[in-house]
Amino acid sequence: MKIAITGATGQLGHFIIEALLEHVSAHNIVALVRNHAKAKSLKTLGIELRHFDYDQSETLVPALIGIDKLLLISANEIGRRTPQHKAVIEAAQRAKVPYIAYTSLLNADKSPLGLAQEHRETETLITHSGLTYTLLRNNWYNENYLANVQHTAEQGILYGSAKDGKISSASRQDYAEAAAKVLTSEGHNNKTYELAGSTSFTLSNLANYIADASGKFVKYENISPEDYTTALTQAGLPEKLVEVIVDADVQAAKGAMFSDSKDLENLLGRKTTFIQDQVKTLFES
């Protein structure tokens, strides 16, 4: 059984490979990578590396020969995902890969998030491909909210535009373990999983978690999407990333980031990682 992972050197890909190694031996895993230098640690583990570049179509089919299961981790170039994913799916067909799993977006078929369209398009390509598939619709990562918690504690204010919208996120590790479980067990063919955290929080809750962990006063201040956009832009974030962050908050305020699905919890066989625990860990280190 050969399991291939796209984006293997990325943050999610790295966690998925770690999780896979809990279930299968290294020689059963193929890391599909654009940059072999970044994948040296994987090669050291005994994992096979194959060159795989979405924008170099000649690399795709050869890299997928002999693969039994392919995990397509959604590409990171927003606006170019659909054609890149299309190239991978077509290569999988040509290489006669029997099965593909895809990391999609929570409620992709009806999500109002700007990111959803490319996921919808990719899901359609997969379900019409003739390949056996599993759609792993991941909600937001806890880590999306944790990058600047120390700075937030210092300034005493957590800014956002999510109002009191509930966010059912989970850790990157949670999603990775679920993907590994699906790739190494039976009963997932042609299924769609809505993957979200066991618990939910608001940004006001998050401000309280940061306050508790840091021992400092921290409050949540809801600002307009326009002001939030300006603040993030002035902080030096790329325009596309700013659009994604602000849109996520705006849609969270409308309920788009909340889910009571237990699919992730059921796949893991445990509760998902509570963001409050991750906040505590960041202030303990």
Side-chain angles (χ1 to χ4, degrees):
M1 171 79 65
K2 287 284 188 182
I3 302 172
I5 311 296
T6 72
T9 58
Q11 291 177 305
L12 180 60
H14 172 77
F15 279 122
I16 290 172
I17 286 178
E18 283 188 349
L20 281 173
L21 288 169
E22 297 291 324
H23 300 277
V24 298
S25 62
H27 75 266
N28 291 118
I29 303 171
V30 176
L32 302 173
V33 299
R34 186 167 51 183
N35 186 335
H36 279 240
K38 289 177 63 178
K40 285 182 179 179
S41 62
L42 298 178
K43 188 174 183 179
T44 301
L45 293 171
I47 292 169
E48 180 184 354
L49 307 183
R50 296 187 187 180
H51 184 59
F52 197 81
D53 190 326
Y54 299 140
D55 298 321
Q56 296 179 5
S57 58
E58 69 276 8
T59 70
L60 303 182
V61 174
L64 296 178
I65 296 297
I67 296 301
D68 299 293
K69 292 186 176 183
L70 170 64
L71 175 62
L72 173 56
I73 297 176
S74 57
N76 57 16
E77 293 186 65
I78 298 168
R80 300 190 63 223
R81 284 172 162 172
T82 299
Q84 289 179 335
H85 295 167
K86 183 174 186 289
V88 174
I89 294 162
E90 290 178 346
Q93 292 173 301
R94 291 169 59 194
K96 301 190 185 309
V97 176
Y99 170 91
I100 185 171
Y102 172 63
T103 60
S104 188
L105 179 72
L106 180 73
N107 297 321
D109 53 333
K110 58 186 178 184
S111 172
L113 280 116
L115 291 176
Q117 183 59 29
E118 289 184 303
H119 288 294
R120 280 191 286 269
E121 291 168 352
T122 300
E123 287 190 0
T124 297
L125 290 169
I126 289 172
T127 57
H128 287 77
S129 68
L131 303 176
T132 301
Y133 65 87
T134 305
L135 301 178
L136 303 169
R137 290 178 168 175
N138 293 349
N139 199 9
W140 239 226
Y141 301 135
N142 286 348
E143 289 81 0
N144 291 351
Y145 298 97
L146 299 177
N148 297 305
V149 290
Q150 283 87 358
H151 176 69
T152 299
E154 290 300 322
Q155 69 177 7
I157 302 175
L158 174 66
Y159 292 102
S161 298
K163 299 181 180 178
D164 58 356
K166 292 183 178 180
I167 300 162
S168 309
S169 62
S171 73
R172 191 174 275 113
Q173 181 74 48
D174 291 333
Y175 295 117
E177 289 182 19
K181 181 72 173 292
V182 165
L183 290 167
T184 58
S185 61
E186 301 300 321
H188 311 291
N189 289 353
N190 299 335
K191 289 189 176 180
T192 298
Y193 293 110
E194 302 291 353
L195 304 179
S198 301
T199 57
S200 304
F201 63 93
T202 66
L203 292 188
S204 292
N205 294 145
L206 180 58
N208 291 334
Y209 302 154
I210 297 170
D212 291 342
S214 66
K216 298 179 178 179
F217 175 80
V218 181
K219 68 173 183 176
Y220 172 58
E221 185 168 322
N222 195 81
I223 58 178
S224 71
E226 294 76 17
D227 287 345
Y228 195 28
T229 297
T230 299
L232 294 173
T233 302
Q234 290 177 346
L237 274 65
E239 180 182 354
K240 286 289 186 183
L241 179 57
V242 170
E243 290 177 2
V244 170
I245 293 172
V246 175
D247 181 55
D249 267 24
V250 169
Q251 302 306 334
K254 302 175 183 177
M257 310 295 277
F258 172 76
S259 175
D260 57 6
S261 171
K262 299 303 179 186
D263 286 354
L264 181 53
E265 183 178 309
N266 291 337
L267 284 171
L268 295 174
R270 61 169 173 81
K271 298 286 187 181
T272 63
T273 306
F274 190 20
I275 194 170
Q276 185 176 13
D277 294 331
Q278 289 181 278
V279 171
K280 288 179 181 177
T281 300
L282 288 172
F283 283 96
E284 290 169 356
S285 59

